[in-house]
Amino acid sequence: MTQTAIPFVFMRGGTSRGPYMNRADLPEDLETLAKVLIAIVGSGHPINIDGIGGGVAVTTKVAMLSRSEDDWADVDYFFAQVSVDDAQVDFKPTCGNILSGVGPAAIEMGLVAAQDGVTPVNIRAVNTEARVAAVVQTPGGVVNYEGDAQIDGVPGTAAPVALQFMETVGGVTGAFLPTGNLVDDIDGINVTCMDVAMPMVIARASDFGLTGYESAAELDENTDFFALMEAVRLKAGALMGMGDVTKSVTPKFGLLAPAKEGGTIATRYFMPWRTHPTMAVTGAQCLASCVLTPGTVADGLAAKPNETPVTITLEHASGQIDVLVDYDQTDVGFEIKSAGLVRTARKLAAGEVFVPASVWGG
């Protein structure tokens, strides 16, 4: 046998896509697992010609699912970010867009029994220990992918997948503000380092000489900006207690500017070595939390609402995304209780993906 077959469901989740697999069908040790995922995606080539990746970071993501032993969760979701062209795998972050497809994929894979009408699926994000309650449309006990929900960055409409993120604060660093400060000065750039759903380094676009309204392509061509941003990110990672993040995709980086298209604030999100074409679900929660927290780099860029829960509309490179944030503002400080979003997902293919037996014999 020259190749090993691995069952998979290929899905779009939010504005990302990739294979969803049963964790039990993959090697247990992470070193071998990384080699298998690199082979599946075809990492090491700019267009992933020898795998099923799509040549950009949002299409080289992998979801690995299993029934959860957690008392609250139905499904454990283990995420891997596979690089496009340097054959690396990062198991540290999670991905909220790929998470949008976890509920439907878990039902398709027989890990969760579908109900008639809608099926709630409680998900534990293994990488960060975040808990997410998803609601999947299942009329007649079958996952429905067609509907009227529209998300910027995806053509057409689809059935909504409602997501409610709980316990998202400090999932990676253990703190809402990992440096202990609302604002840190790094190389003359004021940043807010925040860990809500995803550890992030957030700055004003104007401090980099940018408007914050540049397209993803324009930003990707700006090598001077990326060099300065990466230098700031590396120092911030150390200050956040994350150590040497040279080869890690976390912390992510975000830029803020005043809203231009009727939203709450304009944003750009980085993965971190390329500009995200839209917005990460996890990053959206962190950026929305930054907007709501007094004293951050977002001060003065957006009007702070007084009501709770509140919808924060983030303008991104391909449109907008709404984040419903439930929070408390007390004398003790600012506390995020939960964040909700509506995304969509679609099953694209299913079957077996193959890796050379020399990589893993199964």
Side-chain angles (χ1 to χ4, degrees):
M1 183 175 69
T2 60
Q3 297 206 86
T4 302
I6 305 171
F8 80 117
V9 177
F10 196 57
M11 296 193 69
R12 174 186 63 77
T15 55
S16 297
R17 75 160 195 252
Y20 291 64
M21 294 176 286
N22 193 317
R23 183 68 180 91
D25 293 332
L26 295 161
E28 290 186 13
D29 70 285
L30 294 187
E31 183 177 352
T32 306
L33 177 61
K35 293 177 182 177
V36 168
L37 299 186
I38 287 167
I40 288 173
V41 168
S43 176
H45 186 276
I47 60 170
N48 307 137
I49 195 66
D50 201 35
I52 62 173
V56 292
V58 294
T59 61
T60 57
K61 302 183 175 191
V62 179
M64 294 159 281
L65 312 184
S66 55
R67 288 191 178 91
S68 182
E69 295 182 0
D70 184 276
D71 290 340
W72 177 84
D74 301 305
V75 177
D76 280 352
Y77 157 53
F78 183 39
F79 171 74
Q81 176 67 65
V82 184
S83 67
V84 174
D85 52 16
D86 63 358
Q88 299 288 328
V89 180
D90 196 344
F91 293 112
K92 292 180 182 177
T94 191
C95 174
N97 274 302
I98 288 292
L99 190 147
S100 308
V102 168
I107 295 170
E108 297 277 9
M109 294 162 63
L111 296 173
V112 172
Q115 301 177 19
D116 185 9
V118 297
T119 301
V121 182
N122 289 344
I123 303 163
R124 181 176 76 100
V126 174
N127 308 67
T128 61
E129 293 297 327
R131 283 166 164 71
V132 184
V135 177
V136 182
Q137 304 297 307
T138 52
V142 178
V143 178
N144 176 45
Y145 294 103
E146 295 194 42
D148 298 327
Q150 189 271 333
I151 60 174
D152 289 337
V154 177
T157 62
V161 178
L163 301 173
Q164 192 70 27
F165 291 76
M166 287 84 73
E167 301 176 25
T168 58
V169 174
V172 173
T173 66
F176 177 54
L177 299 168
T179 70
N181 303 316
L182 285 161
V183 175
D184 292 283
D185 184 327
I186 301 177
D187 293 344
I189 303 290
N190 283 339
V191 299
T192 292
C193 299
M194 186 171 282
D195 184 0
V196 178
M198 175 68 67
M200 285 193 67
V201 185
I202 305 167
R204 293 173 178 244
S206 59
D207 285 352
F208 286 92
L210 301 170
T211 65
Y213 313 128
E214 290 85 358
S215 69
E218 288 172 332
L219 289 167
D220 284 343
E221 292 171 357
N222 192 336
T223 55
D224 290 341
F225 158 65
F226 267 85
L228 178 54
M229 176 178 65
E230 181 66 359
V232 173
R233 190 184 78 90
L234 295 181
K235 292 181 180 179
L239 290 175
M240 296 167 76
M242 300 176 68
D244 182 3
V245 298
T246 304
K247 294 184 178 181
S248 177
V249 298
T250 54
K252 299 293 176 69
F253 209 98
L255 294 179
L256 302 176
K260 188 181 181 183
E261 304 294 336
T264 306
I265 198 165
T267 62
R268 293 295 183 266
Y269 184 78
F270 302 89
M271 301 185 285
W273 303 296
R274 289 184 68 85
T275 311
H276 199 293
T278 55
M279 172 58 64
V281 168
T282 47
Q285 296 169 66
C286 196
L287 290 166
S289 299
C290 184
V291 170
L292 289 169
T293 305
T296 70
V297 293
D299 275 6
L301 298 180
K304 295 190 185 299
N306 295 319
E307 69 271 19
T308 184
V310 63
T311 297
I312 300 295
T313 300
L314 305 176
E315 300 174 359
H316 57 70
S318 296
Q320 299 184 352
I321 184 172
D322 291 335
V323 186
L324 180 65
V325 183
D326 190 7
Y327 68 97
D328 279 334
Q329 180 66 59
T330 67
D331 294 338
V332 178
F334 182 83
E335 178 191 358
I336 297 288
K337 296 164 68 176
S338 67
L341 301 96
V342 172
R343 307 303 280 163
T344 66
R346 188 167 80 88
K347 183 168 75 169
L348 305 177
E352 294 176 329
V353 63
F354 295 87
V355 299
S358 57
V359 173
W360 184 54

